[in-house]
Amino acid sequence: MSPFVAELIGTMLMILLGDGVVANVVLKDTKGNNGGWIVITTAWGLAVFVGVVVAGPYSGAHLNPAVTIALAIAGKFAWANIVPYIIAQFAGACMGAFLVWIMYYDHFKRTNDPGSILAVFCTGPAVRNYVSNIASEIIGAFVLLFTIFYIAGAEITPAKTPIGLGSIGAIPVALLVWVIGLSLGGTTGYAINPARDLGPRFMHMILPIKGKGTSDWAYAWIPVIAPLVGASIAAILYLSIK
C-alpha cells in the first residue's frame, strides 16, 4: 500500500466510525439514539485507533493535516510530501462521510432537526463566540500534537532495544484523542483536524438530505485554521525545549 492510499483509507475509516457514532447518537430512531457524550468520545478514540492500525505501517498514519504540518515543522516529515498527504486526508474524509450517509440513509430521512444532521458531518460551537471557539481548537490541537511528539515505543533498558508493539502501538494516540474529547470537547466538538471537519462539511453541502439546513460556512474556517495554529505552536515549543 502506498502512503497516499494508506492516508486515504485510514482517514476514511476514521471518519466512517467517528461520524458514524455521532449519527447513531443524534439521528432519529437509531438503536443508539441519545447515547450521550461518553459514547461519542469513546467511539471517536477507537475510530482513530482503527485508522492508525491500518495506515500506520505505510504512511505513519497522520490522518490529519495538522499532524502532517506539525511533523514537518519539527523536522520529522519531508515538506515535499505535505500536499499529497493532505489531499489524501481530505479525500478520505469525504469518502468516510459519504459512507455514513449511506449507512444511516433511512435515519437521515426520519430526522427533522437540521442541527442534528449537521452534527453528524462536522463540528460546531456550543456557544458561538469566535474568540473562545478559536482558543478551544488551538488548545485541543496543541495538546494532541505536543503529546504525540513524546509518545515513545516500548524499550528494554538499559540497552534501549526497541520492542515491536504491532497494532497495540496505536493505543496511546487513541487514548489521547479520547481524553481530549472528554475534557476539552464540550466547547466546539473538538475538530482538532481540518480534514475531519472540512471534508464531511463539504459532503453535507452536496448530499441530497431533506431538511438538512445550511452547512454553516461562516464557522467552517475555525476548525480548519485553529488546529493548524495549535499544532504549529506545539511543534515550535517541542523544538525549543527538546
Side-chain angles (χ1 to χ4, degrees), residues 173-214:
V173 70
L175 293 175
L176 172 59
V177 171
W178 188 21
V179 73
I180 290 173
L182 289 172
S183 302
L184 306 177
T187 55
T188 60
Y190 72 117
I192 59 176
N193 180 339
R196 171 266 175 276
D197 194 273
L198 186 59
R201 192 183 299 269
F202 173 75
M203 296 306 293
H204 173 273
M205 181 182 71
I206 67 173
L207 287 172
I209 305 173
K210 182 180 178 181
K212 65 182 177 180
T214 69

Side-chain angles (χ1 to χ4, degrees), residues 77-147:
F77 186 71
W79 285 96
N81 294 331
I82 284 180
V83 172
Y85 264 59
I86 291 178
I87 291 173
Q89 292 155 5
F90 276 102
C94 290
M95 291 168 61
F98 177 73
L99 292 175
V100 171
W101 175 65
I102 292 175
M103 182 77 189
Y104 285 94
Y105 180 78
D106 291 332
H107 299 277
F108 279 112
K109 290 198 300 183
R110 290 168 176 253
T111 302
N112 298 317
D113 178 22
S116 294
I117 294 173
L118 180 62
V120 172
F121 292 91
C122 53
T123 62
V127 176
R128 190 172 293 260
N129 178 330
Y130 285 170
V131 173
S132 60
N133 300 155
I134 291 168
S136 294
E137 287 293 333
I138 288 175
I139 293 169
F142 171 85
V143 172
L144 175 69
L145 267 299
F146 193 71
T147 307

